Amino acid sequence: MPHLAHLLDGVPKQRRAIIDCTGIYNETISVDHDSNHWIKLNGHEAWEWIEGFEAVASKILQPTTAPLRDDVLSFLFFGYDASAVERPYTSAREASRAWSGETGASRPYGVTYIGHNWQRWSQLRRFFEAIEPLKDRLGTIQLRGWSWDQRPQWAVEHRFGGVDVDPALLKRLGVEIGEPIPFDQVIALQSQARFCPIFHRPLFNQLGLVTNRTFETFCSDTIPLLMLSDSVIEEIYGHDALQLAPGKDVVGKLEDMMRRPEVYWDAVLKTRIHLAAHHSYERRFEQLMAILA
């Protein structure tokens, strides 16, 4: 609150903007167990958030290309940092040879997912069940984040959905569960895996919201699996990235990726070029300055 008071006292309202990364500045929207207003947790109704945002700032920005409200501006906020790429390959052949272990480097994980147990289990469960027939060929699966070992007791007591997990399924798949890691270690840890899936929360899928992981995964030395709609993939990543979407045939796509990695690394490298051209932080600052002008 002291920081907010300093902002309110020192900056005129017409020069203030709120970047609403979770779609709070909307009427209440619920998708599966996910929602933009957690009334059970904080007691605040939709109208309180809307009036609060309007009292604080003259501009509301959301990281989606299609805001629901007419008074919200699109600003994706998150971006792609080409200088953070773990291994900037010069060709798909070079990348596929390194990825396949032909150059002598081996990867300890087949699949790694880094993220907290918050409104993600329904998608992760479907993904894990789909890849179970390939578990011996893929290698070890790693899951890092908060509360993947068991459903939190507070969620059980309050019957709070969306914070779920199936320990028996994870054990059957031999999933390694680890604690959360610092943000600056995510790219390197993902680079230890052959594949890294990108999921968006159900609410974010509904609102078209992007996150830091939307872009950051392409900095890792891994093949991203885009578990998103084709329309979102083409709009954010470009046409070449559609190759990286498993769609409904996850097993078939992963088998083909392992059989023909150079094809998919070509898609990864082309997508990196697209992201650098359209979603760099330089572009984000240009966009923000245009909004604030």
Side-chain angles (χ1 to χ4, degrees), residues 110-114 124 127-128 142 190 193 195-199 213 217 222-227 246:
V111 175
T112 288
Y113 181 76
I114 301 173
L124 269 174
F127 176 73
F128 285 151
Q142 179 182 213
Q190 289 182 153
F195 302 104
C196 287
I198 297 177
F199 298 99
R213 202 60 49 76
T217 306
T222 188
I223 295 182
L225 302 176
L226 301 179
M227 313 300 291

Side-chain angles (χ1 to χ4, degrees), residues 177-232:
I177 299 172
E179 294 295 317
I181 62 171
F183 287 109
D184 60 0
Q185 296 179 19
V186 170
I187 292 174
L189 185 60
Q190 289 182 153
S191 297
Q192 296 180 24
R194 301 166 77 186
F195 302 104
C196 287
I198 297 177
F199 298 99
H200 288 170
R201 283 169 45 185
L203 174 72
F204 286 24
N205 285 329
Q206 179 84 3
L207 297 179
L209 295 169
V210 299
T211 73
N212 58 332
R213 202 60 49 76
T214 305
F215 304 100
E216 182 183 44
T217 306
F218 277 87
C219 293
S220 293
D221 184 23
T222 188
I223 295 182
L225 302 176
L226 301 179
M227 313 300 291
L228 308 169
S229 70
D230 286 352
S231 60
V232 168

Side-chain angles (χ1 to χ4, degrees), residues 77-86 88 212 214-220 237 268-269 271-284:
F77 183 60
F78 306 100
Y80 173 76
D81 181 4
S83 67
V85 171
E86 186 78 359
N212 58 332
T214 305
F215 304 100
E216 182 183 44
T217 306
F218 277 87
C219 293
S220 293
Y237 298 104
V268 172
L269 298 186
T271 302
R272 286 179 178 176
I273 292 172
H274 177 89
L275 292 176
H278 297 279
H279 298 290
S280 69
Y281 283 104
E282 289 80 6
R283 289 295 301 273
R284 290 290 180 265

